[in-house]
Amino acid sequence: MIDILRHSFVQNAFLAGMIVAIISGFVGYFVVLRGQAFACEALSHIGFAGALGAALVGASSLEGMFIFTLLAAVGMGALGKRLSGRDIEVGMVLSFVLGLGVLFLSIYTKNATGAVGVLFGSILSVTINDVQVILGSGVFIIILMAVLYRPLLFASIEPEVAEARGVPVQRLSILFLILLALSVSVAVKVVGVLLVFALLVVPAAAAEHLTHRPWLAITLSILISLTSTIAGLIFAFIGHWPASFYIVSLTSWFYFIALIIHAVRSPRRYRELPHPSREVLPPSV
Amino acid sequence: MFAIFQYPFIQNAFIAGSIVATVAAVLGYFLIVRGLSFAGHALSSIGFAGAAGAILLGVSPVYGLMVFTVTASIAISILGREVRERDVATGVIMTFALGLGILFLSLYHGYAEQAYSILFGTIVGVSRDDVVFTFVLGLILLIMIAIIGRPLLFSSFDAELAETRGVPVRALGSIFLILIALTISITTQVVGILLVFALLIGPPATAIRLVHQPLRAIALAIILGLTYTWLGILLGGNSPWPVSFFITALSFGVYLPVRLFSKGIDSKRSAKGLEKLSITDSVLESQKDRND
């Protein structure tokens, strides 16, 4: 087992996976808090079209993903003010971008395996160059998130009050979407477009079920995504199945266990108590 | 340009596409009104995993699609009670299913083409049998939605009021999700997951911005869906680019100006539209009758 670590591609995989896990654990907390799971999912698919488009013009897939997701983040942020109304906008952008992806794929038929790599993740093909880009964007994201932490938390939990206090809610929202776009682009490298959700949303959602304290939840969410990524990679090197499958299963199991703990801990009569950030809406589903 | 209609496979694509566009427009209207676009997307992705599993087992993909999407839709209705929680729960189920899908694909060797045809669809590869199958199941789905349409609409616009009036809101929501799951299952075979989602979301999203009255919005959504599909097949048949690209591009190209130039519906205006139609009253009356 230790022998494997000597190979440079294995070291790169672990490094990239760990950096991405830390970023997504942190950013993911706010994705869950702000209810932007769907936006996150859409951004990852937009990254798919970006990566294929980049292949068409001969650029690297990370560059294509950065450009496409950033444009989409600004667009989504500008289109809708309130999240609840953005559902349709996000869906429309998503379906259009998937169509673009199909177009690029049909033009660029040479590299079908490349497309599969973008869809399902190709952590074992991460180069030292990619690790540097991922590390650079990771440091950038974490520093900016730390700077924005307080106003963003305020704006996420009580947007109206924050706005009244002079917090630039709309601008913060666009800025956060841009950071999310960056995080999605680097996460695609590790788990692929279809499974970005597993690192960006699932650990944070599990953590949110275990505690309401923001810092504790963020720490837990980072721990869950780190554990899942490292364990998933180890399993992938020992076993025969793809790394993204192990990572996704592990984070999902963390979520289901957190769900059970949450259900056991809170007696039924307390369940309807509104969390400050949570509007309790009628059970429409 | 119209010479492509001599080919039977284009005729089949045309008929099957029209059936799918109609069913998707009707069910998509409810999907949009209930704010369930994400569930629509998630269920189609989950369908992909199910199809991959069926291919691995060597059975028809439609069985895998049905098992996975219907199970997932039940799980989503159980787990996602709160609106904010719902997206996350939907996403977790989707990711879990996709993880399984990736495992299935890696176990099944030589997958690429079949996986792509499920993901992106091959509308020009439709057989006459597929057309008949789609037509029969599409008809059943339309009848089902016609039966639960009124109370479903009522509970979509004002769930609390509907609940106090004795409408089984939660059960209706679950049945509706199962209908969406079945729609996705039968249509994926024909047009692919990507296009199912585009046809579910695109036409109704444009329609509700132009018309507020539910029946007219549904009618407009059907017209838009059929137009996109026909134009898409016509353009795709005459160019090297794929049909699904044209359909999604048309749907987005019409939606964008409509979205930017219409003021948009907020809940108040849609409630007004309901009053105008007096659907609320008639539903209330029918409920009252039932109670008496």
Side-chain angles (χ1 to χ4, degrees):
Chain A
M1 179 63 220
I2 305 294
D3 286 354
I4 292 177
L5 281 173
R6 264 187 242 139
H7 298 289
S8 64
F9 78 94
V10 179
Q11 293 167 359
N12 289 341
F14 272 103
L15 276 176
M18 280 156 68
I19 302 168
V20 167
I22 293 171
I23 306 170
S24 18
F26 196 172
V27 175
Y29 174 73
F30 285 96
V31 176
V32 173
L33 195 64
R34 299 168 67 81
Q36 287 179 328
F38 191 22
C40 171
E41 169 74 10
L43 280 176
S44 71
H45 285 74
I46 290 160
F48 172 63
L52 290 175
L56 269 185
V57 296
S60 88
S61 63
L62 259 180
E63 286 165 3
M65 284 192 280
F66 278 149
I67 294 171
F68 264 61
T69 51
L70 282 180
L71 283 177
V74 175
M76 282 196 286
L79 262 184
K81 267 193 180 166
R82 293 286 305 158
L83 262 174
S84 49
R86 259 187 226 166
D87 192 46
I88 302 170
E89 278 84 6
V90 176
M92 287 304 295
V93 171
L94 176 59
S95 79
F96 174 60
V97 159
L98 284 174
L100 266 187
V102 175
L103 174 66
F104 292 154
L105 202 62
S106 80
I107 298 175
Y108 190 73
T109 44
K110 272 176 285 177
N111 196 355
T113 41
V116 171
V118 176
L119 277 177
F120 301 127
S122 51
I123 191 166
L124 298 185
S125 65
V126 172
T127 62
I128 191 72
N129 223 338
D130 293 331
V131 174
Q132 284 163 357
V133 175
I134 292 173
L135 183 65
S137 23
V139 171
F140 176 75
I141 293 167
I142 297 281
I143 290 177
L144 223 63
M145 285 298 292
V147 173
L148 293 178
Y149 176 73
R150 285 191 72 85
L152 190 62
L153 195 65
F154 191 17
S156 308
I157 294 177
E158 285 284 1
E160 282 92 8
V161 181
E163 188 133 40
R165 289 278 176 86
V167 177
V169 175
Q170 174 81 6
R171 250 177 287 163
L172 266 180
S173 158
I174 295 182
L175 207 57
F176 176 70
L177 276 175
I178 290 173
L179 287 180
L180 180 60
L182 276 178
S183 322
V184 165
S185 305
V186 293
V188 164
K189 261 287 167 205
V190 177
V191 281
V193 165
L194 294 178
L195 298 174
V196 163
F197 212 87
L199 279 185
L200 260 162
V201 178
V202 182
E208 255 249 311
H209 274 303
L210 297 175
T211 174
H212 286 319
R213 272 178 237 160
W215 267 116
L216 197 57
I218 291 173
T219 316
L220 263 178
S221 137
I222 291 177
L223 276 180
I224 292 175
S225 60
L226 258 182
T227 318
S228 310
T229 311
I230 295 173
L233 278 173
I234 294 174
F235 285 150
F237 287 125
I238 300 172
H240 305 283
W241 296 346
S244 29
F245 164 70
Y246 288 116
I247 298 176
V248 170
S249 314
L250 285 169
T251 54
S252 305
W253 283 116
F254 272 117
Y255 177 80
F256 293 131
I257 292 168
L259 208 63
I260 294 168
I261 294 176
H262 179 72
V264 170
R265 261 203 331 210
S266 55
R268 193 159 184 86
R269 64 179 181 278
Y270 291 137
R271 219 170 269 170
E272 295 299 312
L273 265 185
H275 182 271
S277 67
R278 215 175 271 181
E279 24 180 355
V280 175
L281 288 178
S284 51
V285 171
Chain B
M1 176 140 196
F2 292 94
I4 54 167
F5 285 107
Q6 299 161 11
Y7 303 110
F9 71 92
I10 290 283
Q11 293 165 6
N12 288 345
F14 202 77
I15 303 168
S18 309
I19 301 167
V20 171
T22 311
V23 177
V26 177
L27 277 112
Y29 172 77
F30 292 94
L31 200 68
I32 290 280
V33 168
R34 296 174 69 81
L36 285 176
S37 325
F38 186 39
H41 167 71
L43 283 177
S44 14
S45 305
I46 291 164
F48 167 67
I55 292 171
L56 180 68
L57 289 176
V59 296
S60 162
V62 78
Y63 299 118
L65 276 158
M66 282 192 181
V67 170
F68 265 61
T69 53
V70 171
T71 314
S73 64
I74 294 169
I76 289 172
S77 14
I78 293 171
L79 281 183
R81 282 181 204 167
E82 262 175 69
V83 163
R84 206 185 55 116
E85 184 65 34
R86 187 177 66 198
D87 269 6
V88 172
T90 310
V92 175
I93 293 164
M94 174 187 73
T95 326
F96 188 62
L98 278 173
L100 286 179
I102 286 171
L103 177 65
F104 296 153
L105 280 185
S106 80
L107 292 177
Y108 180 79
H109 298 288
Y111 54 84
E113 284 97 57
Q114 229 167 344
Y116 276 127
S117 85
I118 291 167
L119 269 180
F120 303 126
T122 46
I123 193 169
V124 284
V126 182
S127 73
R128 187 61 68 171
D129 287 347
D130 289 337
V131 172
V132 176
F133 179 71
T134 318
F135 178 74
V136 173
L137 278 170
L139 204 64
I140 295 174
L141 284 171
L142 284 181
I143 294 170
M144 296 277 284
I145 198 76
I147 295 171
I148 65 164
R150 257 172 183 278
L152 183 67
L153 201 62
F154 183 28
S155 73
S156 307
F157 280 116
D158 197 336
E160 275 162 15
L161 185 61
E163 187 136 42
T164 52
R165 296 283 170 172
V167 178
V169 176
R170 279 189 64 86
L172 273 178
S174 309
I175 294 171
F176 175 66
L177 269 186
I178 293 173
L179 288 187
I180 291 287
L182 290 175
T183 312
I184 288 167
S185 308
I186 60 159
T187 53
T188 297
Q189 275 275 66
V190 183
V191 292
I193 277 155
L194 158 70
L195 209 49
V196 175
F197 178 64
L199 288 173
L200 271 174
I201 303 291
T206 310
I208 59 158
R209 293 224 160 244
L210 295 171
V211 193
H212 295 307
Q213 201 184 312
L215 276 180
R216 281 190 206 158
I218 293 175
L220 182 61
I222 295 175
I223 294 170
L224 286 173
L226 288 175
T227 316
Y228 299 155
T229 312
W230 292 340
L231 276 176
I233 294 174
L234 210 56
L235 291 169
N238 284 290
S239 82
W241 291 357
V243 174
S244 21
F245 165 70
F246 284 110
I247 294 181
T248 50
L250 279 169
S251 132
F252 191 68
V254 174
Y255 173 76
L256 203 59
V258 170
R259 168 70 180 81
L260 292 177
F261 293 114
S262 76
K263 279 174 197 154
I265 54 161
D266 46 45
S267 46
K268 258 184 201 168
R269 278 179 69 187
S270 55
K272 242 184 236 168
L274 271 186
E275 269 166 36
K276 231 179 263 170
L277 182 75
S278 72
I279 178 163
T280 325
D281 294 340
S282 57
V283 172
L284 293 186
E285 269 163 33
S286 70
Q287 282 299 322
K288 219 186 280 169
D289 293 343
R290 220 172 288 168
N291 290 342
D292 296 341

